[in-house]
Amino acid sequence: MEQKVKCDKCGMKIFIKLKKQQKGDLEYQYFTCKHCNTSYVVSATDPPLRREMQRYEDLVKQANALAQQAQELLQINVKRCREIMDQHPLEL
């Protein structure tokens, strides 16, 4: 989804289209106003930070996979619980 922002310099509304630029080990992400060519730097990263960002993304993927497995197990357990209650009702 493209995000629209207002340029601080010229006031025009612009769509953010991120670009990357490498300077040595540093990597910058930025976007530029098409109307006045003002550039806005969004991030600057070095190799250790990019590794940590990738590590974070990997952990999020693992957490999401575990959450999905937990949800599936919960559904199985609830179904089994209902089966047991149907087969062996408690008589008070």
Side-chain angles (χ1 to χ4, degrees):
M1 182 169 100
E2 288 187 337
Q3 191 172 6
K4 203 173 193 182
V5 296
K6 182 178 174 182
C7 178
D8 292 334
K9 186 172 180 182
C10 71
M12 297 296 290
K13 297 227 182 224
I14 54 176
F15 285 103
I16 294 176
K17 183 176 180 184
L18 287 180
K19 300 174 186 174
K20 288 183 183 179
Q21 183 172 341
Q22 195 87 21
K23 282 195 171 188
D25 284 346
L26 300 179
E27 184 177 283
Y28 296 88
Q29 285 192 339
Y30 68 98
F31 64 94
T32 304
C33 174
K34 290 184 180 182
H35 305 283
C36 69
N37 289 327
T38 299
S39 293
Y40 296 91
V41 177
V42 176
S43 68
T45 61
D46 61 2
L49 178 56
R50 287 193 292 276
R51 280 192 299 274
E52 288 301 307
M53 291 168 68
Q54 184 61 54
R55 186 171 159 242
Y56 169 81
E57 288 180 25
D58 293 344
L59 287 171
V60 167
K61 287 178 187 175
Q62 290 174 7
N64 289 339
L66 286 173
Q68 178 66 32
Q69 289 176 16
Q71 186 63 34
E72 290 168 2
L73 183 57
L74 175 63
Q75 291 173 359
I76 290 168
N77 292 344
V78 168
K79 181 181 175 187
R80 179 66 181 134
C81 180
R82 288 183 182 139
E83 289 171 357
I84 292 170
M85 289 189 305
D86 288 344
Q87 292 171 3
H88 308 281
L90 177 62
E91 295 180 19
L92 298 174

